[in-house]
């Protein structure tokens, strides 16, 4: 009896034929109704082959979702636990099939080496292996394709390297080990390792992902074959994903342990790079470089003076109108030099300029908030790169989605730059393809990045984020996404109580008047500035320097950099302290050792 049954609509016959031929070329015995014998009882013969086949594929298209025969065959296969749904067109799946894990062969041209086709082959092999031996075949007999692969003298990395790991999973079989000897045991261990790897990938890319199970299966695979580079590669990605998961996300020693584990496994994958494909090697090198970056100095923390820790008003619920401000609080006193204390704050935690009328009866307006905190948007090239990273989160290729998510996890500034387009793409995907695997995984990654985002970054995307959270509340996505959305709703509310912090560092006392002027400018813009620290020339940089802590908003960082350059009279370098995890957007502004120094720059304002 056949290994696999294909259900399809007549209009999709050419696609069914191409798929049958591709699967048969892999040694998989396929039955579809072209095999019907003349004069037979067609319905009985179809049912007999459907029941006998361990795997049944349905090709969902505009025609098949309307076909009573296809829906009947698919319902029976689903109830038998053998259905493997495949979309060959962008269609909404029939009722009862939307929650099933569905593969995509969208715009497939019949190429058997196509990545999506090979992913389907992998799924079929895994299911056939799980089904075990049939038709009286001995339990130690591998399937024909498995025997052919094992008979080859080429290594896994040498054989069909261009197929990006998935064909390697076809080594999974039901072969036994009796009498194999030392070499046989090694080959058996490799097959078993790849079987564990296949199960790990299935858990890793599930919707929602089953990361704990995937982690265990990757470990099982590596215990059998430590040179299995793809297992190291995907396990490194998993550890990077865990750096954002949880409520709250990991911090301190736990975060550093995850970072070290990810770095170790990317390195181990590259140690056996011949067993990775070219794209995986490029990604592994890039992620390893990111993980190997170190901060130039520890992040600064200082006590915040009383009255500077936050707004004097309570948080405003997301959907609540802004409270009416009593007239006596409008205007207020000028901010104290270097602190921002004493300035009346609006519900977003931002100072109100003298004479500015207080808003009333409406939710906080994002444009108004931006006016309170000056921002400098990303230059076009950087904005385009951020948009491309966001698009990759929702791409058709699951490995590309995974690599994009990891890259943004490891680069907090890039993640903050990508948030606006990621939120927009999440809303679009939810509206156009709510059941798609790419939608679920892209939204999961976007929500994880948002949970790590700074208060200012959340406020910057407030209107779109509020809309996304409302849409997620009625979406068909699984519980974890809805839980993350609930946490984000609370985080967005809290963001309106978090003002940014700017630490000022001077090299000598002669710089203090310039620093005090800069501190007042920052305070007027809405920053908390907890004093000015005299660092001495030994710690001072050679150039004015802005150090952004962790995931602090990059638009605010660019404005701070510009303000520092104007105060110091020289271009300022900008760096990110990646290890820092401040509670709010936090920036360090360092005057350089040449400012207000003999033989250096002496602009007006330097103290003699």
């Amino acid at each position: 009896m056949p290994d696999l049954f294909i259900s399809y609509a007549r209009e999709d016959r050419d696609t069914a034929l191409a798929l049958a031929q591709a699967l048969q070329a892999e040694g998989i015995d396929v039955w579809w109704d072209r095999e019907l014998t003349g004069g037979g009882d067609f319905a009985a013969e179809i049912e007999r082959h459907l029941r006998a086949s361990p795997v049944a594929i349905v090709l969902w298209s505009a025609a098949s979702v309307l076909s009573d025969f296809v829906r009947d065959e698919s319902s029976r296969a689903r109830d038998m636990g053998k259905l493997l749904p495949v979309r060959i067109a962008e269609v909404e799946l029939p009722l009862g099939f939307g929650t099933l894990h569905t593969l995509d062969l969208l715009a497939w041209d019949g190429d058997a080496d196509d990545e999506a086709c090979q992913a389907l082959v992998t799924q079929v092999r895994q299911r056939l292996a799980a089904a075990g031996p049939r038709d009286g075949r001995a339990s130690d007999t591998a399937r024909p394709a498995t025997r052919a692969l094992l008979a080859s003298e080429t290594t896994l990395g040498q054989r069909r390297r261009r197929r990006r790991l998935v064909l390697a999973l076809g080594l999974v079989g039901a072969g036994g080990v009796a009498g194999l000897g030392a070499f046989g045991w090694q080959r058996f261990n490799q097959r078993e390792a790849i079987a564990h790897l296949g199960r790990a990938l299935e858990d890793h890319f599930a919707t929602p992902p089953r990361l704990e199970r995937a982690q265990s299966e990757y470990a099982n695979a590596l215990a059998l074959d430590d040179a299995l580079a793809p297992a190291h590669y995907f396990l490194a990605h998993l550890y990077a994903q865990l750096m954002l998961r949880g409520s709250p996300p990991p911090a301190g020693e736990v975060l550093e342990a995850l970072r070290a584990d990810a770095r170790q496994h990317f390195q181990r994958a590259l140690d056996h790079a011949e067993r990775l494909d070219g794209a995986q090697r490029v990604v592994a090198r890039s992620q390893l470089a990111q993980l190997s970056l170190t901060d130039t100095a520890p992040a600064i923390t200082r006590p915040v003076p009383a009255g500077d820790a936050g707004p004097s008003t309570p948080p405003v619920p997301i959907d609540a109108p802004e409270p009416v401000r009593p007239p006596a609080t409008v205007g207020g006193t000028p901010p104290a030099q270097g602190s921002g204390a004493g300035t009346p704050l609006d519900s977003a935690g931002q100072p109100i300029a003298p004479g500015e009328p207080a808003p009333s009866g409406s939710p906080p307006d994002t444009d108004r908030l931006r006016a309170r905190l000056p921002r400098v948007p990303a230059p076009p090239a950087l904005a385009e790169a951020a948009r491309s990273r966001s698009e990759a989160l929702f791409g058709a290729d699951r490995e590309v989605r995974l690599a994009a998510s990891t890259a943004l996890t490891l680069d907090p500034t890039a993640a903050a730059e990508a948030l606006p387009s990621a939120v927009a793409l999440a809303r679009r995907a939810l509206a156009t393809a709510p059941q798609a695997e790419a939608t679920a995984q892209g939204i999961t990654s976007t929500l994880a990045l948002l949970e790590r985002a700074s208060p200012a970054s959340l406020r910057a995307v407030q209107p779109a984020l509020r809309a996304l959270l409302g849409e997620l509340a009625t979406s068909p996505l699984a519980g974890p996404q809805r839980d993350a959305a609930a946490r984000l709703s609370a985080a967005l509310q809290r963001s309106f109580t978090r003002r940014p912090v700017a630490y000022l560092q001077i090299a000598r006392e002669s710089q203090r008047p310039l620093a005090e002027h800069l501190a007042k400018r920052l305070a007027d813009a809405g920053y908390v500035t907890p004093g000015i620290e005299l660092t001495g020339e030994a710690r001072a940089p050679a150039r004015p320097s802005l150090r952004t802590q962790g995931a602090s908003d990059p638009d605010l960082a660019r404005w701070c950099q510009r303000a520092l350059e104007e105060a110091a009279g020289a271009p300022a370098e900008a760096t990110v302290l990646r290890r820092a995890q401040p509670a709010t957007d936090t920036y360090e502004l360092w005057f350089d050792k040449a400012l207000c120094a003999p033989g250096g720059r002496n602009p007006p304002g330097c103290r003699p």
Side-chain angles (χ1 to χ4, degrees):
M1 296 301 290
D3 293 322
L4 184 138
F5 176 100
I6 297 180
S7 176
Y8 68 102
R10 292 279 162 242
E11 292 83 350
D12 306 317
R13 183 179 182 84
D14 290 343
T15 302
L17 172 60
L19 181 59
Q21 291 173 340
L23 292 169
Q24 287 166 346
E26 297 286 348
I28 297 169
D29 189 8
V30 178
W31 188 92
W32 57 310
D33 62 9
R34 193 183 69 164
E35 311 278 341
L36 285 172
T37 56
D41 183 345
F42 290 172
E45 190 170 358
I46 289 172
E47 183 173 5
R48 179 167 62 89
H49 285 91
L50 175 59
R51 289 187 177 278
S53 301
V55 181
I57 286 178
V58 57
L59 300 180
W60 289 124
S61 68
S64 64
V65 296
L66 301 176
S67 168
D68 291 337
F69 287 103
V70 173
R71 293 170 71 152
D72 181 55
E73 290 169 354
S74 301
S75 296
R76 292 177 184 233
R78 178 197 60 197
D79 295 341
M80 296 175 194
K82 61 177 66 176
L83 183 63
L84 179 54
V86 177
R87 286 194 317 161
I88 59 174
E90 289 277 8
V91 293
E92 184 174 351
L93 303 186
L95 187 65
F97 296 91
T99 60
L100 299 180
H101 175 64
T102 303
L103 300 181
D104 283 343
L105 280 181
L106 304 176
W108 182 53
D109 61 1
D111 180 10
D113 288 335
D114 180 83
E115 183 179 79
C117 181
Q118 284 299 310
L120 174 57
V121 171
T122 298
Q123 287 281 332
V124 172
R125 291 190 187 284
Q126 292 171 1
R127 295 192 180 208
L128 292 175
R134 299 176 297 113
D135 300 334
R137 285 179 277 187
S139 61
D140 63 346
T141 302
R143 298 186 181 281
T146 304
R147 291 198 302 269
L149 286 169
L150 292 178
S152 171
E153 293 300 322
T154 58
T155 66
L156 179 63
Q158 293 168 332
R159 183 176 179 82
R160 300 181 184 179
R161 186 172 293 138
R162 60 195 169 93
R163 292 198 175 181
R164 303 190 63 182
L165 166 70
V166 291
L167 183 56
L169 301 181
L171 289 171
V172 177
V177 298
L180 290 179
F183 179 73
W185 273 110
Q186 181 181 2
R187 299 294 292 272
F188 172 75
N189 283 351
Q190 290 175 346
R191 293 202 306 273
E192 288 297 299
I194 293 170
H196 283 294
L197 174 57
R199 289 191 287 271
L201 291 172
E202 187 173 346
D203 288 329
H204 197 165
F205 290 99
T207 304
R210 299 182 288 268
L211 295 184
E212 289 186 7
R213 285 173 50 176
Q215 182 183 19
S216 177
E217 289 292 354
Y218 285 134
N220 291 338
L222 292 171
L224 291 165
D225 183 2
D226 189 56
L228 189 57
H232 285 293
Y233 174 82
F234 286 106
L235 183 55
H237 281 294
L238 185 148
Y239 283 128
Q241 285 179 284
L242 291 176
M243 291 167 62
L244 289 185
R245 301 302 167 95
S247 180
E253 292 182 1
V254 174
L255 180 63
E256 287 306 310
L258 291 171
R259 193 189 307 274
D261 286 338
R263 184 169 57 246
Q264 173 192 349
H265 285 285
F266 275 128
Q267 182 60 66
R268 292 290 291 134
L270 290 172
D271 289 344
H272 303 281
E274 73 281 357
R275 298 181 74 174
L276 299 174
D277 70 23
Q280 290 169 340
R281 288 194 289 271
V282 169
V283 169
R285 292 189 186 104
S286 173
Q287 313 296 33
L288 184 61
Q290 286 284 341
L291 285 160
S292 300
L293 293 174
T294 58
D295 290 343
T296 56
I300 293 175
T301 58
R302 287 201 292 272
V304 177
D308 282 350
S312 57
T313 56
V316 177
I318 293 174
D319 295 317
E322 184 174 358
V324 178
R325 191 183 310 280
T329 66
V330 178
T333 58
Q337 200 173 72
S339 71
T343 305
L345 305 170
D346 63 16
S347 62
Q350 310 305 330
I352 299 174
E356 180 185 346
S360 63
S362 62
D365 180 79
T366 298
D367 291 335
R368 227 180 120 262
L369 296 182
R370 286 178 175 169
R372 305 265 62 75
L373 279 172
R375 309 174 69 89
V376 175
L382 190 58
E384 176 61 23
R387 186 188 63 79
S388 297
R389 292 188 186 99
S390 301
E391 289 181 343
L393 293 176
F394 295 85
D397 187 318
R398 67 182 190 179
E399 285 194 38
V400 170
R401 294 196 298 268
L402 182 63
S405 176
T406 298
L408 293 175
T409 298
L410 301 181
D411 189 341
T413 300
E417 301 277 16
L419 282 183
S421 50
V423 172
L425 288 166
R427 295 189 63 201
R428 186 176 74 183
L430 200 58
T432 59
Q435 303 284 0
E437 178 185 88
T439 296
Q441 293 182 358
I443 287 177
T444 295
S445 296
T446 299
L447 293 177
L449 294 172
L450 283 164
E451 288 199 80
R452 199 267 298 271
S454 73
S457 293
L458 288 179
R459 290 197 297 268
V461 297
Q462 179 209 2
L465 177 55
R466 292 178 66 194
L468 174 62
L469 296 178
E471 291 155 3
L472 284 172
T474 58
S475 76
L477 294 178
Q481 284 98 337
R482 290 195 295 272
D483 292 344
R487 293 194 298 271
L488 266 176
S489 179
L492 181 57
Q493 178 177 332
R494 288 193 302 273
S495 76
F496 290 101
T497 71
R498 302 289 190 268
R499 294 166 59 192
V501 174
Y503 296 109
L504 274 70
Q505 315 293 108
I506 59 176
R508 53 178 56 85
E509 280 295 332
S510 57
Q511 297 173 350
R512 188 171 293 277
L514 296 176
E516 288 174 345
H517 178 78
L518 177 57
K520 183 179 185 303
R521 182 179 180 184
L522 289 161
D524 288 345
Y527 287 75
V528 174
T529 56
I532 298 170
E533 181 183 7
L534 176 63
T535 65
E537 292 188 38
R539 289 177 57 198
R543 296 172 53 192
S545 296
L546 173 77
R547 299 176 185 174
T548 300
Q549 292 193 10
S552 299
D553 189 272
D555 287 359
L556 301 190
R558 282 184 282 267
W559 183 84
C560 286
Q561 182 181 6
R562 180 179 296 177
L564 174 61
E565 290 174 342
E566 292 171 358
E573 64 179 357
T575 57
V576 178
L577 303 177
R578 296 168 180 269
R579 299 294 197 272
Q581 292 185 289
T584 189
D585 301 81
T586 303
Y587 307 92
E588 303 174 12
L589 291 80
W590 293 66
F591 282 172
D592 60 297
K593 61 183 66 179
L595 178 63
C596 301
R601 300 187 320 282
N602 282 273
C606 289
R607 178 177 295 169

